[in-house]
Amino acid sequence: MEDNNIQNPEGIPAKLAELEEDEFHHVNNPAAGIKPIVKKYLSRPVSAEQKNNKFYFSDGDAKVEITVVTDEIIRVRLAPHGVFLDEFSYAVPKLEKKVSVFGLNELEEEYVVYTNIINCHIRKTDFFISFSDNQNFITSSDAVPMHWEENVKFGGYYVYCTKTCHSNESFFGMGDKATELNLRGKRLKNWNTDAYSFAWNQDPLYRSIPFYISLNEGIAHGIFFDNTFKADFDFGAEDPTKTSFWAEGGELQYYYIHGPHMMDVVKRYHLLTGTHPMPPMWALGYHQCRWSYYPESKVRMVTKTFREKKIPCDGIYLDIDYMDGYRCFTWNRKYFPDPKKMIKELSEQGFKTVVIIDPGIRVDDNYSVFKEGKENRYFCRRCDDYFMEGHVWPGRCQFPDFTNPEVREWWGNLFDELVQLGVAGVWNDMNEPAVFGTGTFPDDVRHQYDGQRGSHRKAHNVYGMQMVRATYEGLRKIMKNKRPFTITRAGYSGVQRFSSVWTGDNVASWEHLILGNIMCQRLSISGVSFCGTDIGGFSGEPDGELFTRWIQLGTFSPFMRAHSAGDTKEREPWSFGEPYTSINRKFIELRYRLLPYLYSAFWEHHRYGFPIVRPVVMHEQFEPTNHFRQDEFTYGDKILVCPVLAAGQKDRKVYLPKGKWYNFWTHELVDGGKELMVAAPLETMPIFVKAGSVIPEYPVMQYVGEKEIEEVKMNVYYSDFEANSFIFEDYGETFAYEQDIYLEKKFVVRGKENKLTIQQSMEGLYTPRYENYHMNIIGLPFKPTRIIVDDHEVKDFMIASDKTVQLKLRKNFTQLVIN
């Protein structure tokens, strides 16, 4: 008897292959047998198998892989014809299994992949995938099965995922999109773009962060669509009942990240993509930039004026005009005859010099960087093996392929001379990549992609990230144990492992002040906490009021830099005269006073994955009206910042989250959970501190490290409940913290009607050089009669005119009791 199931070498049953061959050869026009290109959808799953923490489901042709990463993270991958691409991701450097209890249950209507916390359901009738928590609440569900469409022109597939969008569902994240904080009703594109003077709702911009947070019925989850191709996201714009994301190539690969709190989602996203390394503390100071400060005499005049006017500043930037003909890694000796001497003298005055570096390398055989790159074939090539060339600032340029590890190492080593000259930081610009006239590289440019190979369609969104990676890794090697400072304009998810960012070429307008506030909040909850704006606007002309309000906002941005275009008036803190100069000085000084607080918030980000800037909705996600609050945020978790965002405004409405809050300026105690009007004349801005907080404060310095810190002021805000605060200290510029040479302090504040207890505990191997705290107790509801520190009575204390209780004590105290 003939066996119709005998397999041929291609794995097709022999009889079936024979029939297909006959059918094909008997058609007069062979092309008539080719099916039209249409979207194809997953159909009924017919098989399921498990390989360790990976589960495979197939409909007979397509295959879906479900990977359990942690108790709260599950990855979904689709292979349209059952063959997955090699595992590789620039965003997720190493996918580690961190789960012990997981498995697969087969039920009558579905398969269920489970952990202790979440379930992934695969419906048998139609391959719909959904997720639920351990209370069986469905958090995410497909609206149609995952689908794809063959890309005839380039190969591969367009890939699509569409999920149910609930009527009250809100969406947050996606990096620095120039729109409202809540993305409900928006359609957005990820394709890194040089967006000079971008407008409200203009999209796309400089970065591609394919990560969003959904909030529905008070429960949060995240979706991270790890696909570097041009991608679109629709948050109920086309159809209010559907949320979709799709890409023009690559795999349909996404991570479901469970909450239930928004903070949980962000922390777990950081578990995948990493956090910012600790910056050098000087990088958290105030920075001054312009396109461009040149010649050397101009740089010296600006830095001299900062010191004369006693306005703190740590960073001075050199834009493209410091170079010889805009050639990277060179100096214009007419403008800067002795850069080493200049940088050394600036350093002696407390200024760190940051220089710009772009990716375009001028085509010039007498230029050593070009010559080396050409000889080693380090520059990008097109599909027919011609070098990719385009015009940027130096003229005709070629561009390194930063997806090649050999090129990254070469590029990183090029910084050696700049570092030897004393350069302290590097600013990577134009790395979307931007090309004059054409916008960016052609699609057919080839990239090595760390051995994974790909066209520019695949590499475009990671180009800037890999450039700043090369910069950071090179600087780290050259600077040895000193922390590099880098800043980049373009990036992809995971860029935070290598760099800070700013929101790009904004405009001097009140609308852009509003946008900058929203964009920094969005970047922070999208994994990129070390962010800021061009204070005052890059293009256009702010007046003194707008610039001062922007300085006030920038005081509470993790990255604080003023920057402006060369065709605008000068934009320093004193440029608008009084009263603006004094107000700007006051707020920049406040920045420096609060540096230990910001530095501690940075540690909480680096070590634990907390965002530094947090929208109000992150604190109270169960309150529906908070889903649309976007002009207030907390700086860390203790300080509520309410910037003034309109011209002529003398007061503003403020919402205080539930709890008790102190007005930072007046120490007035206010109950939260409501809105109130707060005075906001030009010289101030509404700021509130959460009751129970311990806020460390440094003396005002003109730059970080100007003088030895002799004592740290500890501002303690009384509360009638228990509250915790964390403070981090280390050397501030080395990587010793990676060997546990740091100090992590925990303060527990407990208040009663006539008693206040403050306990301090410490972990780590670092010893600060100062010996004492200056304790400043705010809001004490009783007059103290007795103060005990570690069983010893303190007689020397005072009650100041503002009713704060002040005393000094040793930094290593364990318990302070005030009766």
Side-chain angles (χ1 to χ4, degrees), residues 192-234:
N192 293 357
T193 301
D194 178 5
Y196 178 78
S197 295
F198 58 90
W200 187 282
N201 282 329
Q202 182 173 329
D203 190 61
L205 298 183
Y206 302 93
R207 273 163 290 275
S208 296
I209 312 290
F211 164 67
Y212 69 82
I213 304 167
S214 158
L215 190 53
N216 181 45
E217 302 291 333
I219 304 295
H221 75 270
I223 297 291
F224 171 38
F225 180 33
D226 190 8
N227 182 302
T228 63
F229 285 76
K230 187 180 290 184
D232 289 81
F233 291 77
D234 186 304

Side-chain angles (χ1 to χ4, degrees), residues 7-18:
Q7 304 284 307
N8 67 11
E10 284 75 32
I12 303 171
K15 190 69 175 177
L16 182 58
E18 189 179 309

Side-chain angles (χ1 to χ4, degrees), residues 415-566:
F415 289 97
D416 185 66
E417 184 178 340
L418 290 175
V419 172
Q420 301 313 317
L421 291 174
V423 167
V426 174
W427 164 23
N428 283 172
D429 198 14
M430 300 289 288
N431 55 349
E432 289 73 31
V435 178
F436 295 159
T438 59
T440 191
F441 294 2
D443 283 340
D444 72 334
V445 169
R446 297 175 298 162
H447 293 269
Q448 200 261 4
Y449 216 86
D450 279 73
Q452 301 297 310
R453 301 168 305 282
S455 72
H456 195 66
R457 298 170 63 244
K458 178 179 178 180
H460 174 88
N461 283 338
V462 298
Y463 187 85
M465 173 189 181
Q466 295 309 298
M467 178 189 182
V468 80
R469 174 186 179 180
T471 302
Y472 177 82
E473 290 175 346
L475 290 173
R476 175 156 185 174
K477 182 173 71 174
I478 295 164
M479 296 171 76
K480 301 196 167 44
N481 197 33
K482 268 196 169 181
R483 302 175 202 169
F485 169 69
T486 53
I487 179 169
T488 181
R489 194 168 76 178
Y492 180 73
S493 289
V495 68
Q496 66 269 14
R497 301 195 302 274
F498 313 111
S499 186
S500 62
V501 306
W502 88 105
T503 58
D505 294 339
N506 58 0
V507 180
S509 69
W510 290 94
E511 181 178 73
H512 267 264
L513 179 61
I514 294 168
L515 261 183
N517 180 23
I518 295 170
M519 291 167 76
C520 283
Q521 292 180 57
R522 195 193 320 279
L523 277 164
S524 190
I525 65 172
S526 302
V528 191
S529 270
F530 199 2
C531 58
T533 65
D534 282 348
I535 291 173
F538 180 71
S539 63
E541 301 288 354
D543 60 14
E545 181 188 10
L546 174 57
F547 184 80
T548 293
R549 290 302 194 189
W550 217 316
I551 284 280
Q552 292 172 357
L553 173 63
T555 296
F556 295 94
S557 298
F559 175 62
M560 186 183 189
R561 182 185 74 166
H563 184 37
S564 54

Side-chain angles (χ1 to χ4, degrees), residues 620 629 632 654-658 670-676:
E620 291 182 348
R629 295 190 192 279
E632 300 173 23
V654 167
Y655 173 76
L656 298 178
K658 293 179 178 63
V670 185
D671 287 327
K674 62 185 180 185
E675 293 180 337
L676 63 154

Side-chain angles (χ1 to χ4, degrees), residues 636-695:
D637 68 332
K638 308 294 186 192
I639 299 177
L640 180 71
V641 180
C642 314
V644 177
L645 304 169
Q649 197 167 354
K650 297 293 191 291
D651 54 25
R652 62 151 292 174
K653 187 181 289 184
V654 167
Y655 173 76
L656 298 178
K658 293 179 178 63
K660 294 180 183 294
W661 297 84
Y662 285 87
N663 185 310
F664 177 80
W665 307 105
T666 67
H667 297 165
E668 177 189 2
L669 183 62
V670 185
D671 287 327
K674 62 185 180 185
E675 293 180 337
L676 63 154
M677 291 298 295
V678 180
L682 182 63
E683 65 270 16
T684 190
M685 173 179 72
I687 305 168
F688 291 84
V689 182
K690 190 183 294 185
S693 299
V694 178
I695 307 293

Side-chain angles (χ1 to χ4, degrees), residues 699 701 704-711 766-770:
M701 299 191 193
V704 169
E706 179 193 16
K707 50 195 173 190
E708 191 76 39
I709 294 172
E710 296 178 356
E711 66 179 22
Y766 174 71
T767 303
R769 295 180 68 171
Y770 67 87

Side-chain angles (χ1 to χ4, degrees), residues 247-298:
E248 296 186 4
E251 274 191 338
L252 180 48
Q253 171 182 243
Y254 71 89
Y255 293 83
Y256 169 85
I257 306 172
H258 191 63
H261 298 288
M262 291 178 68
M263 181 66 78
D264 298 324
V265 176
V266 175
K267 287 170 65 176
R268 287 162 190 155
Y269 171 74
H270 279 302
L271 190 69
L272 294 170
T273 62
T275 59
H276 292 280
M278 288 299 290
M281 187 172 273
W282 68 264
L284 302 181
Y286 176 76
H287 297 199
Q288 186 66 44
C289 184
R290 181 169 173 81
W291 176 29
S292 295
Y293 285 131
Y294 74 95
E296 178 182 321
S297 58
K298 179 66 177 178

